[in-house]
Amino acid sequence: MAGTTEKGKNIILIGFMGTGKTSLGKAAAGKLKIPFLDTDDLIVSREGMSINEIFATKGEAYFRSLETQIIRELQDLEGGHVIAVGGGLPLREENRPLLRKLGRVVYLRTSPPVLARRLEADTTRPILRQGEGSTLEKVERILKEREPKYLDAADIVLENDGSSFYKTAGKLTNIYKKGGEFNDQS
Ligand code: S3P
């Protein structure tokens, strides 16, 4: 694959809303003393409005285009980063090779009941505020559609049911440090 020597440079966290991409990403970046970036934060600060507001006033398609734009721009990053990307970003086919070019892609996987518990009272994710059914039903339905794409984008799958936050953050730091070794095998 082109650019494999660069592949260990960043860690990219993908996965469903509520899997802990942001909290684990921040913890791992802190331990590694490298910067943490979050595509949602970059979009919110660029647009000067919340994700809910962007969806409501400009629509989901506009938000998805911004995601692709951001992931393209991040290709120019220098040095190592931990980058969390929005839960829907890996779904667009053109985004997946961009994610893989950017670094080692880690899919944080969490079971629907745990996700539903975490997301039950959430009001910041427009995707979960639309459609029929309970939070658990929505999570199960959307995750089933998305999981093949997450797996397609991922180099590594890391289970995160939240039982051992620091252990999982430690695994992420190891993946970052061993980036070169992983590259040699890929
Ligand atoms: C989305 C996930 C959110 C955010 C937006 C859409 C999705 O990010 O990008 O609400 O489609 O899964 P998190 O995964 O960080 O919650």
Side-chain angles (χ1 to χ4, degrees), residues 23-40:
S23 53
L24 282 166
K26 279 186 180 163
K31 276 176 84 153
L32 290 162
K33 299 191 171 45
I34 59 173
F36 170 77
L37 292 174
D38 186 311
T39 58
D40 285 340

PDB file of all heavy atoms in Angstrom, residues 23-40:
ATOM      1  N   SER A  23     -13.057  10.276  24.710  1.00  0.00           N
ATOM      2  CA  SER A  23     -12.453  10.159  26.048  1.00  0.00           C
ATOM      3  C   SER A  23     -11.190   9.291  26.008  1.00  0.00           C
ATOM      4  O   SER A  23     -10.152   9.662  26.575  1.00  0.00           O
ATOM      5  CB  SER A  23     -13.467   9.612  27.049  1.00  0.00           C
ATOM      6  OG  SER A  23     -14.021   8.419  26.559  1.00  0.00           O
ATOM      7  N   LEU A  24     -11.251   8.171  25.300  1.00  0.00           N
ATOM      8  CA  LEU A  24     -10.060   7.311  25.213  1.00  0.00           C
ATOM      9  C   LEU A  24      -8.966   7.977  24.392  1.00  0.00           C
ATOM     10  O   LEU A  24      -7.780   7.863  24.712  1.00  0.00           O
ATOM     11  CB  LEU A  24     -10.421   5.973  24.564  1.00  0.00           C
ATOM     12  CG  LEU A  24     -11.118   4.987  25.491  1.00  0.00           C
ATOM     13  CD1 LEU A  24     -11.726   3.855  24.681  1.00  0.00           C
ATOM     14  CD2 LEU A  24     -10.132   4.432  26.517  1.00  0.00           C
ATOM     15  N   GLY A  25      -9.371   8.662  23.331  1.00  0.00           N
ATOM     16  CA  GLY A  25      -8.390   9.349  22.479  1.00  0.00           C
ATOM     17  C   GLY A  25      -7.641  10.407  23.258  1.00  0.00           C
ATOM     18  O   GLY A  25      -6.415  10.512  23.158  1.00  0.00           O
ATOM     19  N   LYS A  26      -8.378  11.163  24.059  1.00  0.00           N
ATOM     20  CA  LYS A  26      -7.720  12.206  24.870  1.00  0.00           C
ATOM     21  C   LYS A  26      -6.767  11.582  25.878  1.00  0.00           C
ATOM     22  O   LYS A  26      -5.670  12.081  26.099  1.00  0.00           O
ATOM     23  CB  LYS A  26      -8.773  13.035  25.615  1.00  0.00           C
ATOM     24  CG  LYS A  26      -9.409  14.090  24.756  1.00  0.00           C
ATOM     25  CD  LYS A  26     -10.338  14.973  25.568  1.00  0.00           C
ATOM     26  CE  LYS A  26     -10.965  16.013  24.665  1.00  0.00           C
ATOM     27  NZ  LYS A  26     -12.141  16.649  25.255  1.00  0.00           N
ATOM     28  N   ALA A  27      -7.217  10.495  26.511  1.00  0.00           N
ATOM     29  CA  ALA A  27      -6.372   9.842  27.518  1.00  0.00           C
ATOM     30  C   ALA A  27      -5.095   9.301  26.873  1.00  0.00           C
ATOM     31  O   ALA A  27      -3.991   9.489  27.405  1.00  0.00           O
ATOM     32  CB  ALA A  27      -7.146   8.712  28.194  1.00  0.00           C
ATOM     33  N   ALA A  28      -5.236   8.659  25.713  1.00  0.00           N
ATOM     34  CA  ALA A  28      -4.055   8.085  25.044  1.00  0.00           C
ATOM     35  C   ALA A  28      -3.118   9.202  24.580  1.00  0.00           C
ATOM     36  O   ALA A  28      -1.896   9.109  24.760  1.00  0.00           O
ATOM     37  CB  ALA A  28      -4.488   7.222  23.861  1.00  0.00           C
ATOM     38  N   ALA A  29      -3.678  10.265  24.009  1.00  0.00           N
ATOM     39  CA  ALA A  29      -2.842  11.374  23.542  1.00  0.00           C
ATOM     40  C   ALA A  29      -2.104  12.008  24.708  1.00  0.00           C
ATOM     41  O   ALA A  29      -0.918  12.356  24.601  1.00  0.00           O
ATOM     42  CB  ALA A  29      -3.706  12.404  22.823  1.00  0.00           C
ATOM     43  N   GLY A  30      -2.796  12.128  25.850  1.00  0.00           N
ATOM     44  CA  GLY A  30      -2.163  12.694  27.050  1.00  0.00           C
ATOM     45  C   GLY A  30      -0.980  11.843  27.488  1.00  0.00           C
ATOM     46  O   GLY A  30       0.098  12.365  27.802  1.00  0.00           O
ATOM     47  N   LYS A  31      -1.179  10.528  27.512  1.00  0.00           N
ATOM     48  CA  LYS A  31      -0.092   9.626  27.911  1.00  0.00           C
ATOM     49  C   LYS A  31       1.081   9.690  26.929  1.00  0.00           C
ATOM     50  O   LYS A  31       2.241   9.615  27.326  1.00  0.00           O
ATOM     51  CB  LYS A  31      -0.605   8.172  27.952  1.00  0.00           C
ATOM     52  CG  LYS A  31      -1.297   7.821  29.265  1.00  0.00           C
ATOM     53  CD  LYS A  31      -1.865   6.422  29.214  1.00  0.00           C
ATOM     54  CE  LYS A  31      -0.777   5.411  29.559  1.00  0.00           C
ATOM     55  NZ  LYS A  31      -1.314   4.172  30.132  1.00  0.00           N
ATOM     56  N   LEU A  32       0.755   9.816  25.664  1.00  0.00           N
ATOM     57  CA  LEU A  32       1.804   9.842  24.631  1.00  0.00           C
ATOM     58  C   LEU A  32       2.418  11.230  24.455  1.00  0.00           C
ATOM     59  O   LEU A  32       3.399  11.385  23.727  1.00  0.00           O
ATOM     60  CB  LEU A  32       1.199   9.395  23.285  1.00  0.00           C
ATOM     61  CG  LEU A  32       0.816   7.924  23.175  1.00  0.00           C
ATOM     62  CD1 LEU A  32      -0.152   7.699  22.006  1.00  0.00           C
ATOM     63  CD2 LEU A  32       2.057   7.058  22.996  1.00  0.00           C
ATOM     64  N   LYS A  33       1.777  12.217  25.086  1.00  0.00           N
ATOM     65  CA  LYS A  33       2.196  13.623  24.946  1.00  0.00           C
ATOM     66  C   LYS A  33       2.212  14.070  23.475  1.00  0.00           C
ATOM     67  O   LYS A  33       3.167  14.667  22.978  1.00  0.00           O
ATOM     68  CB  LYS A  33       3.574  13.846  25.591  1.00  0.00           C
ATOM     69  CG  LYS A  33       3.574  13.551  27.083  1.00  0.00           C
ATOM     70  CD  LYS A  33       4.840  14.033  27.739  1.00  0.00           C
ATOM     71  CE  LYS A  33       4.818  13.970  29.247  1.00  0.00           C
ATOM     72  NZ  LYS A  33       4.295  12.747  29.834  1.00  0.00           N
ATOM     73  N   ILE A  34       1.144  13.707  22.798  1.00  0.00           N
ATOM     74  CA  ILE A  34       0.954  14.164  21.409  1.00  0.00           C
ATOM     75  C   ILE A  34      -0.434  14.802  21.320  1.00  0.00           C
ATOM     76  O   ILE A  34      -1.285  14.556  22.173  1.00  0.00           O
ATOM     77  CB  ILE A  34       1.096  13.010  20.377  1.00  0.00           C
ATOM     78  CG1 ILE A  34       0.076  11.880  20.647  1.00  0.00           C
ATOM     79  CG2 ILE A  34       2.517  12.464  20.374  1.00  0.00           C
ATOM     80  CD1 ILE A  34       0.060  10.799  19.571  1.00  0.00           C
ATOM     81  N   PRO A  35      -0.672  15.622  20.310  1.00  0.00           N
ATOM     82  CA  PRO A  35      -1.962  16.313  20.238  1.00  0.00           C
ATOM     83  C   PRO A  35      -3.139  15.372  19.924  1.00  0.00           C
ATOM     84  O   PRO A  35      -2.966  14.365  19.239  1.00  0.00           O
ATOM     85  CB  PRO A  35      -1.789  17.308  19.092  1.00  0.00           C
ATOM     86  CG  PRO A  35      -0.332  17.349  18.784  1.00  0.00           C
ATOM     87  CD  PRO A  35       0.256  16.049  19.235  1.00  0.00           C
ATOM     88  N   PHE A  36      -4.305  15.762  20.430  1.00  0.00           N
ATOM     89  CA  PHE A  36      -5.552  15.054  20.144  1.00  0.00           C
ATOM     90  C   PHE A  36      -6.411  15.936  19.248  1.00  0.00           C
ATOM     91  O   PHE A  36      -6.546  17.140  19.496  1.00  0.00           O
ATOM     92  CB  PHE A  36      -6.303  14.763  21.450  1.00  0.00           C
ATOM     93  CG  PHE A  36      -7.701  14.244  21.227  1.00  0.00           C
ATOM     94  CD1 PHE A  36      -7.912  12.930  20.838  1.00  0.00           C
ATOM     95  CD2 PHE A  36      -8.797  15.077  21.375  1.00  0.00           C
ATOM     96  CE1 PHE A  36      -9.196  12.451  20.600  1.00  0.00           C
ATOM     97  CE2 PHE A  36     -10.086  14.608  21.148  1.00  0.00           C
ATOM     98  CZ  PHE A  36     -10.277  13.286  20.764  1.00  0.00           C
ATOM     99  N   LEU A  37      -6.982  15.354  18.220  1.00  0.00           N
ATOM    100  CA  LEU A  37      -7.898  16.091  17.340  1.00  0.00           C
ATOM    101  C   LEU A  37      -9.202  15.322  17.206  1.00  0.00           C
ATOM    102  O   LEU A  37      -9.197  14.085  17.269  1.00  0.00           O
ATOM    103  CB  LEU A  37      -7.299  16.230  15.929  1.00  0.00           C
ATOM    104  CG  LEU A  37      -6.067  17.105  15.758  1.00  0.00           C
ATOM    105  CD1 LEU A  37      -5.553  16.990  14.321  1.00  0.00           C
ATOM    106  CD2 LEU A  37      -6.389  18.555  16.079  1.00  0.00           C
ATOM    107  N   ASP A  38     -10.280  16.046  16.999  1.00  0.00           N
ATOM    108  CA  ASP A  38     -11.592  15.428  16.863  1.00  0.00           C
ATOM    109  C   ASP A  38     -12.277  16.104  15.672  1.00  0.00           C
ATOM    110  O   ASP A  38     -12.409  17.330  15.659  1.00  0.00           O
ATOM    111  CB  ASP A  38     -12.356  15.700  18.173  1.00  0.00           C
ATOM    112  CG  ASP A  38     -13.689  14.997  18.221  1.00  0.00           C
ATOM    113  OD1 ASP A  38     -14.449  15.097  17.253  1.00  0.00           O
ATOM    114  OD2 ASP A  38     -13.971  14.358  19.251  1.00  0.00           O
ATOM    115  N   THR A  39     -12.684  15.323  14.684  1.00  0.00           N
ATOM    116  CA  THR A  39     -13.241  15.948  13.469  1.00  0.00           C
ATOM    117  C   THR A  39     -14.514  16.741  13.781  1.00  0.00           C
ATOM    118  O   THR A  39     -14.761  17.778  13.179  1.00  0.00           O
ATOM    119  CB  THR A  39     -13.515  14.904  12.359  1.00  0.00           C
ATOM    120  OG1 THR A  39     -14.413  13.907  12.859  1.00  0.00           O
ATOM    121  CG2 THR A  39     -12.239  14.262  11.873  1.00  0.00           C
ATOM    122  N   ASP A  40     -15.310  16.256  14.756  1.00  0.00           N
ATOM    123  CA  ASP A  40     -16.522  17.009  15.124  1.00  0.00           C
ATOM    124  C   ASP A  40     -16.150  18.401  15.655  1.00  0.00           C
ATOM    125  O   ASP A  40     -16.765  19.398  15.293  1.00  0.00           O
ATOM    126  CB  ASP A  40     -17.325  16.272  16.202  1.00  0.00           C
ATOM    127  CG  ASP A  40     -18.085  15.075  15.649  1.00  0.00           C
ATOM    128  OD1 ASP A  40     -18.305  15.009  14.435  1.00  0.00           O
ATOM    129  OD2 ASP A  40     -18.457  14.210  16.455  1.00  0.00           O
TER     130      ASP A  40
END
